[in-house]
Amino acid sequence: MLASTMAFGLMAVAIRLASATTATTEIAFFRNFFGLLAVLPLVLRRGEPLPRTRHLKRYVVRTVIGLASMLCGFWAIGHLPISQAISLAYSTPLFVTIAAALWLGEKVRVRRWLAVLAGFVGVLVVLRPGSDFNAGMLVAVLAALLSALVAIQIKQLARLDPPDTVVYFTYLFWVPLSLVPALFQWTWPHGIEWLWLALTGLLGTAGQVLWTRALRLGEVSALQPISFMQLPLVATFGWWLFGESVDRWTVIGAGIILGANAYIAHREALLARKAASSEPTTAAKPGE
């Protein structure tokens, strides 16, 4: 999980570096193009057929919403202080909790609702409406909302197809979809720009693979706090490379959001363990 966090944090830095000379739409295309190249060796194993699915319509919807989230998130990283953009991105689990209750019918009890409410208080602290409010920050919040919808869709697709199939078809649709808007702002990269664009794809894919492996090996409640290390990492690079400082309201708001996320992850892990322990251990009879 720590390696995954570092990969995602460095991807954000690469996006910020690329944003100096490259349009957001083009960055998204190259992130997906190089990401697909990194995914192919994982799914194209020797002697095995290409992944297949019967749910292409679901993948189209998932990738369209995912691309919209990506464009909003990349724009925020390129145009806001990077620590502020990442802080607001951490509101995604709050939206996931709401979407899971409304969309999937999951039971969310009072404690988790209070944690969600506290998390949104943290979002308001970062946004600071009425004082230093920047309308561009709403783009980062929209990215988090759309990312939550994607997370719910991935949860549904994971019940229908193996994880490698989900990743493969996501990238397969993302590449042509992201090329369309990129063509309207296309300029060929030069020199070191190619490195930043390649790193967005390679680091993003590495982060996803490591994150999936981490969740297989450990519990979400134990792993979630480690992912918060992304914030000091990007804040350090923001100060070093871009001369950005982290204001106290971003730190306070991010702390509230991260605390709410940690509590939500803890409660979900407890409920999952209770559900697992209450399942009958005897073999099911025929017809049950």
Side-chain angles (χ1 to χ4, degrees), residues 16 76-86 134 137 244-245 247:
R16 181 59 180 272
I77 291 172
H79 294 82
L80 298 175
I82 194 168
S83 58
Q84 196 174 71
I86 298 301
N134 178 354
M137 290 189 286
E244 297 177 356
S245 60
D247 64 86

Side-chain angles (χ1 to χ4, degrees), residues 5-258:
T5 298
M6 297 298 104
F8 282 131
L10 292 173
M11 182 189 74
V13 175
I15 291 169
R16 181 59 180 272
L17 289 166
S19 296
T21 55
T22 308
T24 299
T25 53
E26 196 171 344
I27 295 173
F29 166 72
F30 280 111
R31 184 260 182 272
N32 296 326
F33 175 75
F34 286 112
L36 178 61
L37 294 183
V39 163
L40 285 177
L42 301 177
V43 298
L44 299 180
R45 298 181 179 92
R46 183 176 298 178
E48 295 186 11
L50 284 171
R52 296 182 179 182
T53 183
R54 298 179 179 178
H55 311 285
L56 289 177
K57 290 182 180 180
R58 286 176 176 263
Y59 282 101
V60 171
V61 174
R62 177 261 181 273
T63 50
V64 168
I65 297 175
L67 179 60
S69 173
M70 184 183 297
L71 291 172
C72 290
F74 285 13
W75 185 93
I77 291 172
H79 294 82
L80 298 175
I82 194 168
S83 58
Q84 196 174 71
I86 298 301
S87 296
L88 292 172
Y90 276 120
S91 63
T92 294
L94 308 177
F95 289 113
V96 170
T97 303
I98 296 172
L102 298 178
W103 193 341
L104 301 180
E106 291 185 5
K107 282 189 176 181
V108 179
R109 301 188 185 280
V110 174
R111 292 182 183 181
R112 276 196 287 170
W113 281 125
L114 290 176
V116 169
L117 181 61
F120 282 118
V121 170
V123 172
L124 288 175
V125 172
V126 177
L127 292 177
R128 299 189 296 281
S131 55
D132 295 328
F133 176 69
N134 178 354
M137 290 189 286
L138 293 179
V139 177
V141 176
L142 178 59
L145 171 59
L146 294 172
S147 182
L149 297 180
V150 170
I152 296 298
Q153 291 173 319
I154 291 175
K155 191 171 184 178
Q156 293 177 318
L157 286 169
R159 297 171 182 169
L160 303 171
D161 290 326
D164 285 350
T165 300
V166 175
V167 173
Y168 172 73
F169 278 101
T170 295
Y171 278 103
L172 200 62
F173 283 115
W174 258 349
V175 171
L177 280 174
S178 57
L179 177 61
V180 174
L183 289 175
F184 289 95
Q185 298 179 295
W186 189 269
T187 56
W188 281 104
H190 296 89
I192 200 168
E193 296 170 5
W194 282 108
L195 175 61
W196 308 140
L197 294 170
L199 285 175
T200 61
L202 298 176
L203 290 169
T205 301
Q208 288 178 327
V209 172
L210 291 166
W211 179 71
T212 303
R213 176 61 61 88
L215 293 181
R216 288 180 182 175
L217 298 175
E219 293 188 353
V220 175
S221 57
L223 296 172
Q224 184 78 2
I226 300 175
S227 68
F228 302 157
M229 289 299 297
Q230 184 180 353
L231 186 56
L233 174 70
V234 298
T236 300
F237 275 98
W239 166 77
W240 179 38
L241 296 175
F242 313 116
E244 297 177 356
S245 60
V246 183
D247 64 86
R248 62 175 179 172
W249 296 113
T250 297
V251 173
I252 293 171
I256 297 172
I257 296 169
L258 300 183

